[in-house]
């Protein structure tokens, strides 16, 4: 009799758990985006007669349930903790955890450097006929500059691909390999994020100095780079877990990050910044610092993330040249420095800009020089970055 009563209690608890869990799933608010996975989540599908009869509804509902499972992020993080502390894994989802606290995503895409070289060389040759100089700055991403810190069994080709890319540019391209610029300063604080694949403004400023020194040789109106001492450098108090931590969860992040804010000490006339069809923006989108969630992308504090097109007009340099920057996200913390040396800076992210060809854009806006800023991974895996006639080819992986 006691056994039967115990069985009834057990079944009761089981049913309570099943129905309670189902009710929780049904009543809780659905999440639209997973910051941890950096993707949109499936929404509850509409139960139409056609979908029910075809079976499509049940497939969509399964995908929806998997995405909206209660406590899903906690389960993902718990699984990562098991991988690290019990399974003793030092690599997860192609991200390696270094002993110094850096998370590294090794560069080993297919080699597309020749295709990139051919297209950029042709682009520069065409613009040379119009007396427009083309510059290509190659910032070393974290995976490349720290590649030698990886164990021998980890496949990584960031430096190899960088060497090939730089060797393949024609004399029509003013190519700048920024690895020798950054390497001597690598031990300084706040050069790269521990948990994100980007560099920080201090590293971007060293790169800026090199770029301006090079561009001023052909364009004296660019002037000299503004020294680091002319800016204040502070770390925002908000904690940041970046793109690499979103792959591993913070279980693998022995150090969290902060966002560096650089502000000019000198007085200047207000600089006009326009993007997303509105003006009056700042170099920092401080609202991104307040984004909720452990894995909120606070890197978007720099220039509000990857805008498709931006126009910066600088009244402090009225007679300076006009530059067009073709970029990936590495340039975002660098924009605040570069734009102060030009009367007008136009920026296009070729993954998202779709209005017209780059050639038409240059003619329309009377551009004096074009500056590419791309790290080796993005330029090698994103065809849109060198599709000058038909931009707008979407995100890199």
């Amino acid at each position: 009799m006691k056994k039967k009563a115990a069985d009834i209690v057990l079944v009761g608890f089981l049913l309570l758990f099943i129905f309670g869990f189902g009710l929780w799933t049904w009543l809780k608010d659905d999440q639209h985006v997973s910051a941890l996975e950096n993707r949109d989540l499936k929404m509850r599908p509409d139960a139409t007669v056609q979908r029910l009869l075809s079976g499509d509804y049940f497939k969509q509902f399964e995908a929806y349930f998997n995405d909206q499972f209660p406590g899903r992020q906690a389960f993902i993080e718990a699984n990562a903790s098991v991988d690290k502390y019990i399974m003793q894994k030092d690599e997860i989802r192609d991200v390696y955890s270094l002993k110094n606290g850096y998370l590294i995503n090794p560069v080993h895409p297919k080699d597309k450097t020749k295709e990139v070289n051919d297209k950029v060389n042709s682009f520069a040759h065409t613009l040379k006929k119009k007396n427009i100089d083309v510059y290509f700055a190659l910032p070393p991403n974290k995976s490349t500059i720290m590649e030698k810190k990886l164990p021998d069994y980890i496949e990584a080709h960031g430096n190899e691909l960088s060497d090939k890319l730089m060797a393949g540019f024609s004399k029509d391209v003013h190519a700048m390999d920024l690895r020798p610029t950054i390497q001597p300063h690598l031990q300084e604080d706040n050069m790269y994020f521990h948990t994100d694949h980007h560099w920080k403004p201090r590293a971007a400023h060293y790169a800026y100095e090199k770029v301006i020194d090079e561009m001023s040789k052909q364009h004296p109106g660019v002037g000299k780079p503004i020294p680091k001492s002319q800016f204040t450098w502070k770390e925002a108090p908000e904690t940041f877990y970046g793109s690499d931590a979103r792959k591993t969860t913070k279980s693998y992040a022995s150090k969290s990050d902060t966002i560096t804010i650089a502000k000019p000490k000198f007085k200047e006339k207000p600089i006009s910044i326009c993007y997303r069809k509105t003006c009056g923006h700042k170099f920092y989108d401080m609202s991104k610092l307040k984004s909720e969630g452990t894995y909120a992308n606070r890197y978007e504090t720099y220039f509000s993330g990857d805008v498709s097109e931006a126009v910066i007009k600088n009244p402090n340099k009225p007679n300076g040249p006009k530059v067009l920057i073709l970029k990936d996200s590495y340039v975002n913390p660098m924009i605040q420095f570069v734009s102060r040396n030009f009367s007008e800076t136009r920026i296009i992210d070729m993954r998202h800009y779709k209005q017209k060809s780059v050639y038409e854009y240059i003619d329309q806006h009377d551009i004096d020089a074009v500056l590419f800023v791309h790290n080796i991974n993005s330029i090698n895996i994103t065809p849109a970055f060198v599709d000058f006639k038909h931009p707008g080819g979407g995100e890199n992986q």
Side-chain angles (χ1 to χ4, degrees):
M1 192 71 180
K2 290 182 179 179
K3 184 176 185 302
K4 185 175 181 181
D7 289 343
I8 292 173
V9 171
L10 180 61
V11 170
F13 273 116
L14 181 62
L15 291 173
L16 180 64
F17 175 79
I18 293 173
F19 286 105
F21 199 80
L23 187 62
W24 180 17
T25 303
W26 190 265
L27 294 179
K28 79 176 187 66
D29 292 332
D30 290 340
Q31 289 184 296
H32 291 269
V33 177
S34 169
L36 174 59
E37 299 167 275
N38 195 30
R39 68 177 181 88
D40 294 332
L41 298 176
K42 298 292 184 182
M43 294 292 103
R44 191 193 307 271
D46 294 328
T48 63
V49 174
Q50 183 178 357
R51 284 180 176 173
L52 287 168
L53 292 176
S54 68
D56 188 50
Y57 171 79
F58 301 102
K59 293 179 181 179
Q60 292 187 27
F61 189 86
E62 181 182 6
Y64 156 76
F65 183 79
N66 288 338
D67 272 6
Q68 301 295 340
F69 189 84
R72 184 171 182 271
Q73 179 169 311
F75 279 108
I76 293 174
E77 292 182 320
N79 182 67
S81 294
V82 170
D83 283 339
K84 180 179 181 181
Y85 297 110
I86 297 178
M87 305 303 292
Q88 298 292 302
K89 292 182 179 180
D90 52 16
E91 184 182 11
I92 182 171
R93 294 182 66 188
D94 207 26
V95 176
Y96 185 84
S97 177
L98 295 180
K99 293 181 179 179
N100 61 5
Y102 285 97
L103 298 177
I104 303 291
N105 185 7
V107 178
H108 51 78
K110 293 181 179 179
D111 183 0
K112 299 288 185 180
T113 53
K114 186 179 186 307
E115 180 180 332
V116 173
N117 285 138
D118 289 345
K119 291 188 175 182
V120 174
N121 290 342
S122 176
F123 177 76
H125 183 72
T126 299
L127 294 188
K128 184 178 181 180
K129 298 174 183 177
K130 300 179 180 181
N131 295 317
I132 299 173
D133 290 306
V134 172
Y135 300 83
F136 193 105
L138 181 69
N141 57 25
K142 183 177 67 173
S143 303
T144 300
I145 201 74
M146 298 185 186
E147 191 174 81
K148 292 182 179 178
K149 296 181 182 295
L150 291 168
D152 292 339
Y153 63 84
I154 299 293
E155 183 182 7
H157 301 287
N159 282 297
E160 175 190 343
L161 293 172
S162 296
D163 291 342
K164 291 184 69 175
L165 184 70
M166 296 306 297
F169 285 124
S170 71
K171 61 181 181 181
D172 294 331
V173 180
H174 301 276
M176 293 170 277
D177 185 348
L178 298 176
R179 286 176 294 174
T181 301
I182 301 300
Q183 188 66 52
H185 305 283
L186 194 56
Q187 300 307 314
E188 297 177 15
D189 291 336
N190 293 307
M191 290 289 285
Y192 286 83
F193 291 104
H194 289 88
T195 69
D196 193 85
H197 66 283
H198 293 102
W199 60 7
K200 301 185 75 173
R202 289 182 183 273
H205 187 273
Y206 285 120
Y208 150 75
E209 291 180 317
K210 172 66 176 179
V211 167
I212 294 302
D213 282 340
E214 183 66 27
M215 295 186 74
S216 64
K217 295 175 182 178
Q218 289 77 32
H219 300 274
V222 169
K224 296 181 179 180
I226 303 171
K228 182 173 64 174
S229 61
Q230 291 300 304
F231 295 87
T232 60
W233 302 82
K234 295 182 178 179
E235 298 300 310
E238 290 81 3
T239 299
F240 173 44
Y241 289 99
S243 56
D244 292 324
R246 288 196 292 271
K247 292 181 178 180
T248 66
T249 79
K250 66 177 184 179
S251 300
Y252 279 80
S254 59
K255 295 182 180 180
S256 61
D257 285 305
T258 53
I259 297 294
T260 305
I261 307 294
K263 294 288 187 179
K265 295 178 181 179
F266 50 89
K267 293 182 178 181
E268 60 183 351
K269 296 176 183 178
I271 295 174
S272 171
I273 302 176
C274 302
Y275 55 75
R276 297 178 183 140
K277 299 181 180 180
T278 59
C279 296
H281 297 287
K282 305 296 182 182
F283 289 115
Y284 293 89
D285 184 348
M286 303 304 285
S287 69
K288 301 297 184 181
L289 281 176
K290 307 302 179 183
S291 298
E292 295 183 359
T294 304
Y295 301 98
N297 187 4
R298 304 195 200 285
Y299 186 75
E300 290 184 342
T301 302
Y302 302 118
F303 213 69
S304 197
D306 292 323
V307 300
S308 60
E309 179 191 13
V311 180
I312 304 172
K313 294 185 178 180
N314 180 13
N316 305 287
K317 199 84 172 178
N319 299 317
K322 296 180 180 181
V323 66
L324 170 64
I325 299 177
L326 302 178
K327 48 80 73 179
D328 65 21
S329 55
Y330 256 72
V331 86
N332 294 356
M334 190 176 169
I335 292 170
Q336 60 186 312
F337 307 125
V338 174
S339 60
R340 286 186 162 98
N341 285 80
F342 295 89
S343 62
E344 185 172 293
T345 302
R346 289 182 172 268
I347 300 165
I348 289 180
D349 188 322
M350 301 263 282
R351 294 168 294 187
H352 310 299
Y353 179 81
K354 300 178 181 179
Q355 276 64 44
K356 57 174 64 72
S357 78
V358 180
Y359 298 104
E360 292 174 302
Y361 192 93
I362 290 170
D363 290 339
Q364 180 180 343
H365 297 292
D366 196 24
I367 299 299
D368 297 304
V370 176
L371 170 64
F372 289 85
V373 182
H374 291 287
N375 76 87
I376 188 60
N377 198 48
S378 67
I379 194 66
N380 202 54
I381 67 174
T382 314
F385 282 140
V386 289
D387 191 350
F388 306 112
K389 293 183 179 179
H390 306 98
E395 289 283 358
N396 56 289
Q397 302 302 309

